Amino acid sequence: MQKKMLILITIITLLSLSLYAGTTGKLAGKVRDAKGAPIAYANVMLKGTSIGAATDEQGRFMIINIPPGNYVVLSFLMGYSKSEIENVHISLDETKTLNITLTKTTLEGKTIIVVDKEDLIKKSVTGSEKSFNAEQMENVAVSDINGLIAIQAGVSSSGGELHVRGGRATEVQYTVDGMNVSDPVDGGRALSVDMDAVADMKVMTGGFTAEYGNAQSGIVSIVTKDGSENYEGKLEFNTDHLLSEGSNSDEVKFSLGGPLLGGFGGSLRKNLTFFLNGAGLWDDTRYRKYYISQPNEDIPSIAGVTYAKYDPYESRDDFLGLEIGNRNNNNYNVNLKVKYAFDPLKNVTFAVRGDRSLSTPYSHSWKYALQHYAQAESNQRQYLVTYDHTIGTNTNVKIKGSYYQKDTKNNPIGIDKDMYLFKTHEFNPLAGQFGYSTIDENNDGIYDNGFYDSSYWSYYIRGLVDPRPISNFNAPGTIWANFIDDKTSSINLRTDWEYQPSQFIGFKSGFEVIKHKIEKNQLNGFLTIYEKRFYEYLDSYGHVTSIQINPETGDTTKVYTQDDYYQAAKASSGTRDGYKAEPIQASYYLQDKMEWEGMIVNMGVRMDMWYLGESYQILKDDNSFKSRKFKTSDRFQLMISPRLGVSHPISEFDVMHFAYNYQNQLPQMQYIFTSRDTVDAYTSGNAVTVGNPKLEPQITITYEVGLQHQFNDDYSMDITAYYKNIYNYVSTKKVVSAQEASVYWYEFISEDYGSARGIDLSITRRLINFISGQASYSLSWAQGNNSDVVIQDFATNLREFPLDWDIRHNMNLSLTFRIDKDEQFLIPFTAVILPLDNFTASLTYSYSSGAPYTPATTKGTLTLLEPNSKRKESTSNADLKLTKTFPLSKEGSSAIRLVFTIENLFKKTNINNVYSRTGSPYYDGTDLSENNNPGYTYSETQSLHDLFTKNPSNTNSDRNYILGLSYNF
């Protein structure tokens, strides 16, 4: 099978040479004289570069492979005046059209300068997308890329995750410089890139062309900045605790770009450039005050034990009012990009970027046991090399290679994998003393051989003698008993080819291959030692020192060495989930874009392939690996996806588009590779969930139709209606053993489904009279038979219901008020000039109707009713960002910027979670009355219960004041 796979890859590579990854744009148009006649053989250049083309006999020109950014377009021909069009923006995967007029002249050197206005409607776009350049991102009142994505039409935020047009959060693919940086195993978060590093970004919500694959809902494509031949940079500091308590957040950012060898002149200074930026964020989060706990003060009725106050902040050092060292949440990212241009048509780029996060999350049930709660660490990195070669004026070839790695570690604070089990002096196997013990941080016997005695964690009720257990909060000293050490890496190789035989026809075709390496190593519930596995290990690996016979029963007992008992305990503690796998993904597509004056057609087909390998390795209790083979028929899958998009400019101010997408996405690999199989169901004594190599690709079939309309020079509208059918979501089924009716297991299957439909509307105002903005509204429905992969003892639910992120109405408003250098703003209805220039005020406002939840009965035992049949309250938020720039040089190349941001401007209380009985975030409706005294509840019981149910994560009303200072040069 491997030979067949290699042959297939080789054939496709030779046929296509490439896979196009959207990292550049095009410039096209006509050059005419004052009477409208075409001018042949005129030169069209991007000023300051060697990128350009000459017009044909009809005055047409086309320039491909232009990096995103703002350019000055220079046009000239002997006998005509020169033309310079400033502020021409090139976006990812778009064709910018310019109509240029040259006037006959007898005067040499005369230049006509025109400032281009960015197109409000995109005639070449056949899907739903929104592009942003660096300047636009800087002027929006959001703090990161996810915040910018969240305010776009078709995007909703639920539970801290982004959902695009009714799809799951794992259906969004993120690419940086054309290469995927999303986790293939669990669909986790993508590599973080700071906004300062982004040159251009595109958010696609529908109508993907064939070059985009393995995503069902959305594509976020990021192109990072290159350095220039002049040095530019920034040093920035932001804090939220100078004007108020805030969340004790401090952020430091820097960037520097320019010639790598600044001391050399000539071509090296211009051709060898770099861009470097980094950021560090230290934040105690909005739960800052809840990390400090004193159980005896909060629960005065605690029975007989005095607990020390826990304050994780008291040991921190202070420097100039800033706390030194790690905080509850710490994030770092760095990006370096080096580019060398051999000549105007050939260049090579090297990039390395990465991020690291280290956090100690807050959990309300762990409020009094945070000393040994979870600590999470994640490290991601990407290494990328690109060779880019433009051949002539109509062909471009790119060769790209990248290495991506993500490491995830979770463990209890202060405890590592080598210290939770230790040897003791008490060794008498016949008396049940095996010479080991699990960790007990307080050395008071709370933990003993894996059994946890929590009877001391109790409270008194006035008038009663016996204390009652505190059931909702974990007892002080409790240890979060899980270790996670997962590694995922991907080697990605692809070649890119683009061919533009004429202004009307453009071909893209390509091939990509990715080899993944997955190493999963998880140990859950390590303080529990399973007796059956304990003795199985001794029987297999132990060294018998003696055999004791019970004189009364005649039973024999094997006695092993103390080290054998210790190793057996370690092998049988907790449940293991670990494996090693090296699957391969590959894809090929062919795309044809036809651009006529009255119609643009994007037509293509995509093939996605995956090869699981012959086998993968499963981690055993003794830390060795065993091989599990796949059936030959299960190792390889092929998926074909046709795509069609049509854009029809029906007038100068109106463009209609239609798109049909058949999108495939590979199921997450955590559902294919698992450490358990059906044999474990017989030996483990409890139900297991097993992987399934036969899982089908998840499929989304989308239809959309839209209209762009430009009202006038300054306002435009974009409205799109869509409908999506989603098939083959991963679910589970219960399988009962044919040999033993009492033995069963769960198997992942591809049987869940969903649907989504809606209308997205956005209105854009370009910058005019100091104000620009965008308003968007989305009306949507997201339904399915399960919101997530759930373990179920019954057949798949055949009836659809609203999914957890089915938020019917989403509205977003982004306004920017800007006074540029030396401009004057007259305050309306007065004769007063605002004494400010170099000033920007940005406001973002978002509103979402309530997300659904599943209600429950209000009396008796908790019984869930109709799934997601009730709604939470609506949510809204407003952020304000004020920016004042103080130039330090006449040309403005050096400046100080002062930024003041108010988050949650109106201090709105938003509800995140509610209790199923009451629909309230504060009261859960539980009947606490006594069995022997119905209707009566002890005050101590009620007080303790209220302390637990008033969970701070259920609501958020925090208002933050963030002050930022930066030096730009």
Side-chain angles (χ1 to χ4, degrees):
M1 191 65 193
Q2 285 182 323
K3 291 182 178 179
K4 292 180 180 179
M5 183 69 180
L6 289 172
I7 293 172
L8 178 62
I9 290 173
T10 303
I11 291 173
I12 295 177
T13 304
L14 292 174
L15 288 175
S16 65
L17 294 179
S18 62
L19 170 71
Y20 182 81
T23 58
T24 59
K26 302 178 188 176
L27 178 65
K30 290 184 177 181
V31 179
R32 297 183 175 95
D33 62 20
K35 295 180 180 180
I39 300 177
Y41 313 118
N43 295 295
V44 181
M45 305 287 295
L46 303 184
K47 191 174 181 179
T49 75
S50 300
I51 301 173
T55 60
D56 61 14
E57 289 81 356
Q58 284 77 39
R60 298 183 300 237
F61 69 91
M62 170 74 75
I63 305 174
I64 66 172
N65 196 43
I66 305 174
N70 290 325
Y71 295 91
V72 175
V73 177
L74 176 64
S75 306
F76 57 93
L77 182 65
M78 185 174 293
Y80 292 85
S81 60
K82 291 183 179 180
S83 169
E84 285 191 9
I85 303 178
E86 299 178 344
N87 198 39
V88 177
H89 184 71
I90 303 298
S91 297
L92 297 178
D93 290 344
E94 294 181 13
T95 302
K96 171 68 177 179
T97 302
L98 283 182
N99 291 314
I100 303 171
T101 300
L102 297 183
T103 305
K104 286 190 175 183
T105 182
T106 58
L107 299 176
E108 293 185 5
K110 182 179 180 181
T111 301
I112 299 175
I113 299 176
V114 178
V115 178
D116 184 55
K117 291 184 177 181
E118 186 175 357
D119 297 332
L120 290 179
I121 58 175
K122 306 295 179 75
K123 296 181 181 181
S124 67
V125 174
T126 58
S128 299
E129 59 186 50
K130 180 70 175 178
S131 297
F132 305 90
N133 57 39
E135 182 182 358
Q136 291 170 327
M137 289 187 286
E138 188 176 55
N139 289 329
V140 180
V142 296
S143 59
D144 55 27
I145 288 174
N146 279 351
L148 187 63
I149 298 170
I151 62 175
Q152 304 309 310
V155 181
S156 62
S157 179
S158 177
E161 296 182 322
L162 297 179
H163 300 266
V164 177
R165 287 187 173 178
R168 295 183 177 181
T170 54
E171 296 173 12
V172 180
Q173 185 187 97
Y174 295 82
T175 65
V176 178
D177 290 336
M179 302 299 257
N180 185 22
V181 290
S182 299
D183 191 329
V185 178
D186 59 11
R189 74 180 184 92
L191 177 74
S192 297
V193 177
D194 190 76
M195 291 178 67
D196 287 345
V198 180
D200 211 272
M201 184 178 85
K202 177 182 287 188
V203 180
M204 289 171 276
T205 57
F208 313 143
T209 51
E211 59 261 43
Y212 295 102
N214 206 35
Q216 294 173 266
S217 292
I219 303 283
V220 178
S221 182
I222 296 170
V223 174
T224 58
K225 293 178 180 178
D226 295 325
S228 66
E229 59 182 293
N230 298 311
Y231 286 111
E232 297 177 326
K234 180 175 78 168
L235 184 62
E236 180 178 343
F237 174 71
N238 301 293
T239 183
D240 77 340
H241 54 89
L242 293 183
L243 303 179
S244 64
E245 181 176 314
S247 62
N248 193 32
S249 172
D250 294 304
E251 182 181 36
V252 175
K253 302 169 69 174
F254 76 92
S255 64
L256 179 64
L260 187 62
L261 302 175
F264 294 83
S267 62
L268 268 182
R269 179 180 179 89
K270 184 176 181 179
N271 295 347
L272 183 59
T273 60
F274 78 99
F275 181 84
L276 171 68
N277 81 290
L281 173 65
W282 300 267
D283 182 18
D284 277 326
T285 77
R286 70 183 186 89
Y287 301 107
R288 179 187 182 189
K289 62 183 180 181
Y290 297 100
Y291 282 83
I292 302 173
S293 67
Q294 170 49 274
N296 298 89
E297 292 182 2
D298 295 343
I299 313 172
S301 55
I302 283 181
V305 180
T306 300
Y307 297 99
K309 178 182 179 181
Y310 174 64
D311 184 352
Y313 313 127
E314 61 185 2
S315 61
R316 291 183 183 173
D317 295 326
D318 184 278
F319 177 74
L320 299 178
L322 302 178
E323 294 181 358
I324 306 301
N326 288 328
R327 302 185 194 173
N328 295 327
N329 188 45
N330 311 275
N331 291 289
Y332 314 89
N333 66 77
V334 66
N335 165 74
L336 172 64
K337 190 174 183 180
V338 178
K339 183 176 183 179
Y340 178 68
F342 298 99
D343 58 49
L345 301 180
K346 297 192 293 292
N347 65 75
V348 62
T349 302
F350 301 93
V352 56
R353 53 184 62 97
D355 67 26
R356 178 176 182 260
S357 67
L358 180 65
S359 64
T360 53
Y362 175 80
S363 170
H364 194 53
S365 62
W366 285 80
K367 177 176 174 58
Y368 302 110
L370 291 174
Q371 294 94 326
H372 303 301
Y373 184 51
Q375 177 175 273
E377 181 179 359
S378 173
N379 288 277
Q380 298 184 92
R381 62 195 67 92
Q382 181 196 44
Y383 305 92
L384 172 67
V385 59
T386 301
Y387 175 71
D388 189 334
H389 188 178
T390 300
I391 304 171
T393 60
N394 60 1
T395 304
N396 176 255
V397 176
K398 288 187 179 72
I399 301 174
K400 290 189 176 185
S402 75
Y403 176 80
Y404 167 74
Q405 181 173 326
K406 179 180 180 181
D407 299 340
T408 302
K409 292 184 178 182
N410 289 0
N411 59 274
I413 298 172
I415 298 172
D416 60 44
K417 219 170 183 179
D418 296 325
M419 63 180 292
Y420 74 89
L421 196 71
F422 58 91
K423 295 180 180 179
T424 64
H425 296 295
E426 296 78 17
F427 180 63
N428 185 357
L430 297 179
Q433 297 176 341
F434 297 114
Y436 70 86
S437 179
T438 52
I439 190 169
D440 171 15
E441 182 68 18
N442 300 319
N443 296 317
D444 56 9
I446 297 172
Y447 289 94
D448 184 15
N449 295 340
F451 297 96
Y452 177 47
D453 179 10
S454 61
S455 60
Y456 73 101
W457 181 235
S458 56
Y459 70 103
Y460 283 122
I461 294 177
R462 192 177 308 163
L464 299 182
V465 175
D466 296 328
R468 298 188 177 185
I470 299 174
S471 57
N472 292 322
F473 292 107
N474 286 297
T478 304
I479 295 174
W480 188 76
N482 303 292
F483 289 116
I484 296 174
D485 187 3
D486 294 346
K487 296 180 180 179
T488 302
S489 62
S490 302
I491 297 175
N492 188 330
L493 177 64
R494 68 193 194 193
T495 57
D496 308 343
W497 176 69
E498 179 181 9
Y499 177 54
Q500 191 83 33
S502 72
Q503 190 175 19
F504 308 111
I505 303 294
F507 292 103
K508 302 174 185 177
S509 178
F511 178 75
E512 176 181 26
V513 62
I514 308 173
K515 183 177 181 181
H516 302 288
K517 185 176 182 180
I518 305 168
E519 299 179 66
K520 189 173 185 179
N521 189 349
Q522 299 186 4
L523 177 61
N524 301 306
F526 58 75
L527 293 172
T528 299
I529 296 175
Y530 291 89
E531 184 177 6
K532 185 176 181 180
R533 288 164 49 201
F534 179 82
Y535 286 105
E536 284 177 350
Y537 182 94
L538 289 174
D539 288 341
S540 299
Y541 303 102
H543 303 84
V544 178
T545 59
S546 64
I547 297 178
Q548 303 292 328
I549 301 176
N550 189 318
E552 297 180 359
T553 63
D555 295 336
T556 60
T557 301
K558 295 179 181 178
V559 178
Y560 301 88
T561 67
Q562 184 179 4
D563 189 63
D564 287 335
Y565 289 113
Y566 173 78
Q567 295 297 336
K570 201 164 188 178
S572 60
S573 61
T575 57
R576 282 165 173 74
D577 186 9
Y579 57 82
K580 294 180 180 180
E582 298 188 11
I584 296 174
Q585 279 180 247
S587 58
Y588 167 77
Y589 81 89
L590 179 63
Q591 181 78 33
D592 182 13
K593 187 173 186 179
M594 295 159 280
E595 301 185 67
W596 297 288
E597 189 170 343
M599 181 172 291
I600 294 92
V601 178
N602 251 321
M603 186 166 54
V605 64
R606 179 183 181 87
M607 290 191 300
D608 287 282
M609 299 154 276
W610 66 346
Y611 178 66
L612 299 180
E614 294 184 1
S615 62
Y616 71 104
Q617 305 297 310
I618 300 172
L619 182 65
K620 298 168 61 178
D621 281 348
D622 62 355
N623 286 323
S624 66
F625 286 87
K626 68 176 181 180
S627 178
R628 179 184 297 169
K629 287 192 174 183
F630 292 118
K631 293 181 180 178
T632 303
S633 58
D634 295 340
R635 297 173 185 173
F636 179 79
Q637 286 201 43
L638 173 66
M639 299 143 280
I640 299 178
S641 309
R643 310 282 175 86
L644 175 64
V646 178
S647 174
H648 177 39
I650 56 180
S651 73
E652 185 179 354
F653 301 106
D654 296 277
V655 179
M656 291 191 65
H657 86 269
F658 165 81
Y660 165 80
N661 268 199
Y662 188 101
Q663 296 153 214
N664 286 305
Q665 183 171 343
L666 301 179
Q668 295 169 29
M669 295 181 187
Q670 61 178 321
Y671 306 131
I672 298 169
F673 304 102
T674 58
S675 61
R676 301 301 182 94
D677 59 22
T678 56
V679 175
D680 294 313
Y682 293 90
T683 60
S684 66
N686 59 330
V688 298
T689 305
V690 300
N692 184 1
K694 296 182 180 180
L695 289 177
E696 297 291 331
Q698 296 175 170
I699 296 172
T700 297
I701 300 176
T702 305
Y703 306 87
E704 71 170 60
V705 60
L707 171 67
Q708 297 179 71
H709 174 69
Q710 186 169 337
F711 297 103
N712 52 39
D713 285 347
D714 306 316
Y715 288 90
S716 68
M717 174 195 73
D718 189 341
I719 183 169
T720 301
Y722 63 89
Y723 183 83
K724 299 164 65 172
N725 280 319
I726 308 166
Y727 306 98
N728 295 343
Y729 271 154
V730 178
S731 181
T732 62
K733 69 176 181 180
K734 184 178 182 180
V735 181
V736 179
S737 168
Q739 286 75 35
E740 295 183 38
S742 61
V743 176
Y744 62 91
W745 59 87
Y746 298 96
E747 182 181 54
F748 291 115
I749 55 174
S750 301
E751 289 191 5
D752 275 2
Y753 53 89
S755 64
R757 64 189 189 278
I759 298 174
D760 295 335
L761 170 67
S762 64
I763 297 176
T764 302
R765 170 191 164 113
R766 74 163 85 246
L767 181 62
I768 186 73
N769 293 330
F770 306 97
I771 297 175
S772 63
Q774 176 181 300
S776 66
Y777 168 71
S778 297
L779 172 66
S780 63
W781 291 261
Q783 295 182 306
N785 63 330
N786 274 314
S787 293
D788 205 346
V789 179
V790 295
I791 305 299
Q792 48 195 19
D793 291 322
F794 47 85
T796 298
N797 183 12
L798 298 179
R799 188 170 56 83
E800 293 187 32
F801 55 81
L803 298 175
D804 291 348
W805 52 89
D806 176 51
I807 299 174
R808 191 73 67 243
H809 305 280
N810 278 284
M811 291 184 287
N812 296 285
L813 175 66
S814 177
L815 289 175
T816 299
F817 171 76
R818 191 173 82 188
I819 307 175
D820 289 330
K821 184 181 178 182
D822 297 328
E823 287 186 336
Q824 293 182 338
F825 176 74
L826 187 67
I827 300 176
F829 311 110
T830 72
V832 179
I833 295 175
L834 189 69
L836 283 175
D837 66 349
N838 278 326
F839 172 78
T840 302
S842 301
L843 174 73
T844 60
Y845 175 79
S846 60
Y847 167 88
S848 298
S849 59
Y853 73 94
T854 300
T857 54
T858 57
K859 294 182 180 180
T861 59
L862 184 68
T863 303
L864 299 179
L865 302 178
E866 194 74 13
N868 283 345
S869 56
K870 285 195 174 182
R871 298 269 170 177
K872 305 172 190 175
E873 292 183 9
S874 62
T875 62
S876 64
N877 183 69
D879 294 338
L880 177 64
K881 178 181 176 181
L882 306 176
T883 304
K884 178 70 175 81
T885 302
F886 301 93
L888 300 179
S889 60
K890 290 183 179 181
E891 64 277 7
S893 60
S894 179
I896 297 289
R897 293 183 69 222
L898 184 64
V899 181
F900 178 56
T901 304
I902 306 176
E903 296 179 335
N904 194 6
L905 178 65
F906 304 120
K907 202 171 173 57
K908 172 73 165 57
T909 298
N910 288 314
I911 295 174
N912 302 322
N913 304 298
V914 298
Y915 293 105
S916 56
R917 280 194 177 100
T918 63
S920 166
Y922 308 110
Y923 309 103
D924 66 355
T926 302
D927 183 4
L928 301 175
S929 63
E930 303 297 316
N931 291 332
N932 58 353
N933 191 3
Y936 177 78
T937 302
Y938 290 107
S939 60
E940 294 88 349
T941 300
Q942 186 68 58
S943 177
L944 181 59
H945 188 76
D946 290 347
L947 184 66
F948 177 75
T949 55
K950 292 180 180 178
N951 188 334
S953 67
N954 290 345
T955 63
N956 184 10
S957 60
D958 294 349
R959 177 194 288 158
N960 277 348
Y961 302 92
I962 302 173
L963 189 63
L965 181 67
S966 68
Y967 169 61
N968 302 262
F969 59 91

